[in-house]
Amino acid sequence: MRQEFRTALVTGASSGIGEAFAGLLAARGTDVVLVARRGDLLDDLARRLSARHGVAVEVVAADLTDPEGLGRVEERLRERPVDLLVNNAGYGAFGAFGESPLEEQLRQIDLNVVAVVRLTHAVLSDMLRRGRGGVLNVASMSGLAPSPGAATYGATKAYVVAFSDNVHAEVRPRGVHVTALCPGFTRTDESAGPDLVWLRRADVARAGLDAVAAGRALCVPGAQYKAMIPALRLAPRALLRSAANRAWQQAAVTKNDG
């Protein structure tokens, strides 16, 4: 059964896909809670959304890699539950794992995994009690394929896909939807339209919102990326790793030469 969401909390809402989520939800009449580190950007977005769409917009400035900031958002979700949680905030550090600072790897895990798990846990108890609600977890195509050069990022997104799929199976019989959104390359602004590689952020956000409303466990936006899924599932893993590694090595050489 398709769900409508009256209230939503969006993390990473100050820019990119998160801002697109917030705008689309507000346009649909949903009251939104905006979460990100930059309170000034959130305040500006809140004013624009409230003026344009007449919805209630709340701002929570918080760094979800900081235990105190994450705890405040958890507390907000438990004290005043929402119909939809959009775990959009994410971070990626790129480069050879063994040559990258450990702190960057751990920060990715804190934001891409720990925050997603904790906020999902915080919101689910009330949703299950009411028998309705949704959680949309933003993963990536990197979570479905080998990602040399982004080993930790790809692993965190693979976790988000598996976590979402398993929790979806647990809660859907009780009226709650959990969806993993796996976009490919996405433009963070609207300066250009879609092409054979790049997606528009509004199209990605719209696909994710429609998928969680409809109760689908996985959403891959864009025909070009949907077409890749059978190959990713059927091709030998060693072949995929080899191809991905060659592409990454070539990209690294090009970057260094430039």
Side-chain angles (χ1 to χ4, degrees):
M1 181 179 66
R2 184 178 179 87
Q3 294 199 25
E4 299 297 331
F5 305 114
R6 295 165 299 191
T7 57
L9 184 144
V10 181
T11 69
S14 60
S15 62
I17 300 174
E19 184 179 359
F21 279 127
L24 287 170
L25 286 164
R28 296 177 181 186
T30 302
D31 294 334
V32 289
V33 183
L34 309 176
V35 178
R37 291 179 299 165
R38 292 281 305 276
D40 56 336
L41 295 180
L42 293 180
D43 288 338
D44 179 64
L45 177 60
R47 285 190 292 269
R48 286 188 281 117
L49 294 180
S50 181
R52 185 176 304 164
H53 303 293
V55 296
V57 185
E58 178 184 345
V59 166
V60 179
D63 181 351
L64 299 183
T65 65
D66 175 68
E68 190 274 335
L70 180 56
R72 284 194 288 111
V73 180
E74 286 179 293
E75 184 178 2
R76 167 61 177 79
L77 286 170
R78 290 194 174 102
E79 290 184 349
R80 285 174 287 161
V82 295
D83 295 332
L84 174 67
L85 168 64
V86 181
N87 279 313
N88 167 74
Y91 169 66
F94 302 95
F97 175 78
E99 300 168 4
S100 301
L102 178 60
E103 292 76 13
E104 286 190 346
Q105 312 306 318
L106 297 178
R107 182 167 178 252
Q108 291 176 88
I109 295 170
D110 285 342
L111 185 56
N112 300 355
V113 174
V114 175
V116 168
V117 171
R118 289 182 59 170
L119 295 184
T120 300
H121 193 270
V123 82
L124 271 183
S125 59
D126 183 78
M127 290 181 178
L128 292 171
R129 180 184 60 79
R130 289 185 288 128
R132 66 181 308 277
V135 178
L136 178 59
N137 294 324
V138 179
S140 167
M141 288 294 291
S142 297
L144 304 175
S147 301
T152 300
Y153 178 79
T156 62
K157 294 306 184 179
Y159 180 95
V160 171
V161 173
F163 171 73
S164 302
D165 190 46
N166 290 321
V167 178
H168 173 82
E170 294 175 3
V171 301
R172 187 174 185 188
R174 299 177 62 179
V176 179
H177 300 167
V178 178
T179 300
L181 174 63
C182 294
F185 293 111
T186 304
R187 299 188 188 280
T188 56
D189 57 35
E190 298 298 326
S191 60
D195 56 33
L196 291 177
V197 175
W198 291 90
L199 303 170
R200 296 193 311 169
R201 65 180 189 175
D203 294 337
V204 169
R206 185 177 296 105
L209 293 176
D210 289 346
V212 69
R216 298 199 296 272
L218 179 68
C219 175
V220 177
Q224 65 272 52
Y225 291 105
K226 286 184 175 70
M228 295 171 60
I229 298 301
L232 293 176
R233 289 174 173 166
L234 297 175
R237 196 71 178 176
L239 179 63
L240 292 175
R241 277 198 307 271
S242 177
N245 193 49
R246 285 197 303 273
W248 174 65
Q249 295 289 351
Q250 183 59 48
V253 169
T254 302
K255 179 180 179 181
N256 291 334
D257 288 347

